[in-house]
Structures are given as C-alpha cells and as structure tokens.
Amino acid sequence: MNPRRASVLAWTAALWMAGCSAPPSQTALWQQLRDLQAAKNDLETKAQRLEEENRQLFEQCSALSSINPAVRLSALDRMMQIRLAKGTGLTDENRDGQPETLRVHLEPIDQAGDVVKVPGQVHVSLWHLDVSAQEHLLGEWTVKAEELKTKWGRSLMGAYYRLMWNVEAILPEKADELTVKVEFTDYLTGKVLRTQKPLRIR
C-alpha cells in the first residue's frame, strides 16, 4: 500500500474514533437530555390520567345533579332497626371452663326487612343487672366506621358484623343477669338505632 494512502486512512480512522467517543461533558449532556425526555413522558402520562379522572367526575356530578336529592335518598337502602343475631353471647374460647369472650353478631335491617352492610359506628356496653351488683356498667367499647367495615362476615346462619372482646377481667364471679346494649349510628342518614339482649353462656 502507498505510504501516503496508508497515512490518510490512519488519520481518517483516528478522526472517526474520536467522533464515536464523545468527551465526558458531552456524555453528561446526552444523559440530561434523556432524563428530561423521561420526565416529560411521565408528566404527559399523569396529565392524561388526571384528565380522564376529571372527565369521570364531571360525568358523575352531572348525573347526580339531574336527580332530585329526595329521590336519591329514598332509593337508598335505609336502616330501620338493628338486631343481635344468634351467636351473640359469652363464650369460652380457650376451653378452660370459664367464659371470657363477649361475642356480638350485629345485623342491620333495612326497610325491606333484609340484612344489609351499612357504614356506621357501633357503641357496645356490657351491663350487670343484678340489683345487688356494686357496678352495673362493666365495660363499653366503640368501633369506628373504618374498623367496622372490616368486621363484616357471612356464615351459614347469615351475614352480620362480628365483634369480639376479651371480658375475663371485668366479669363478675357469677356470669348471670348480664345484658349487652348496642347503639349503631348510621353514617348515611345520621339515624341512631339501639337494641339490647340478655346474654347466654355458650
């Protein structure tokens, strides 16, 4: 090969390699451009998601505004009463021969007589109704709506809120003439419903 031609080829290869390997400052700029493009894509995706959510909310508001509020309320399943279902009582969960657990199975009943899951708050109190008792109110508990919604369960006997407390430390020596009282605040209507039931040892 001609020495002159070989020299030209060598210089050409050197220049080509120099172009392929950019200096560090230029590499950093390319990385910044890639990061900015990724951030731009992420913002566009979030903007599209928010636009879709806004569209759905607008449709919901439009639909609700076209319905008379009184008609909407009358169409809801409204609670008419609460009932303490079978299974409510004092139980011996640890099998030591002494009851230590208070079980409350609470059924909200609507205007059609059906058991329905309704958001609300429950207040439960345990009473000793023996006239000779020194303390009549033995204990009380409140279950907030966020916790209550996790207590809904179903069995062969039906559906109800299943609530349990260990009451061993507050039970009298003779666990008789005990009554549980329940107060339910309906979060849909604000109605407060009450019921009570003598307890049996199960």
Side-chain angles (χ1 to χ4, degrees):
M1 179 183 291
N2 189 311
R4 181 181 179 84
R5 186 177 179 185
S7 177
V8 170
L9 289 174
W11 275 104
T12 302
L15 289 172
W16 183 80
M17 292 295 293
C20 290
S21 57
S25 59
Q26 189 173 348
T27 301
L29 286 175
W30 278 109
Q31 185 60 46
Q32 289 179 13
L33 284 174
R34 284 192 290 269
D35 292 343
L36 288 172
Q37 184 62 46
K40 176 176 175 291
N41 294 340
D42 186 52
L43 287 174
E44 288 178 348
T45 300
K46 290 180 178 178
Q48 291 174 357
R49 188 183 306 120
L50 287 174
E51 185 177 344
E52 177 61 21
E53 291 176 357
N54 287 337
R55 184 188 65 78
Q56 292 178 0
L57 287 173
F58 179 77
E59 289 179 353
Q60 292 173 5
C61 289
S62 298
L64 289 174
S65 63
S66 65
I67 304 174
N68 186 298
V71 174
R72 289 206 311 266
L73 184 60
S74 65
L76 292 173
D77 277 335
R78 288 178 294 167
M79 278 182 53
M80 301 304 293
Q81 63 174 310
I82 55 175
R83 183 170 63 204
L84 293 174
K86 184 177 181 180
T88 297
L90 293 171
T91 61
D92 179 13
E93 301 288 332
N94 58 16
R95 310 281 182 170
D96 66 351
Q98 295 295 327
E100 81 290 322
T101 301
L102 170 62
R103 280 182 171 269
V104 173
H105 292 178
L106 179 63
E107 295 177 333
I109 311 296
D110 70 2
Q111 67 268 32
D114 297 323
V115 177
V116 292
K117 182 180 182 181
V118 179
Q121 177 176 291
V122 172
H123 182 78
V124 176
S125 55
L126 180 63
W127 295 80
H128 192 194
L129 300 185
D130 188 334
V131 294
S132 63
Q134 293 183 351
E135 296 289 340
H136 293 289
L137 176 60
L138 299 178
E140 54 186 337
W141 307 266
T142 296
V143 184
K144 302 289 188 180
E146 283 299 311
E147 180 185 0
L148 184 64
K149 68 182 181 181
T150 68
K151 303 297 184 180
W152 186 257
R154 294 183 180 273
S155 71
L156 294 176
M157 304 302 296
Y160 40 76
Y161 288 112
R162 292 187 288 193
L163 309 173
M164 294 175 57
W165 293 275
N166 187 303
V167 294
E168 184 176 13
I170 61 175
L171 285 180
E173 291 185 8
K174 290 185 64 177
D176 53 6
E177 296 193 52
L178 300 181
T179 291
V180 62
K181 297 182 180 181
V182 179
E183 181 180 279
F184 187 97
T185 303
D186 179 2
Y187 275 16
L188 291 179
T189 64
K191 184 184 293 186
V192 179
L193 300 170
R194 298 176 178 85
T195 190
Q196 66 182 64
K197 183 179 183 179
L199 291 179
R200 294 192 324 172
I201 299 176
R202 303 177 65 253

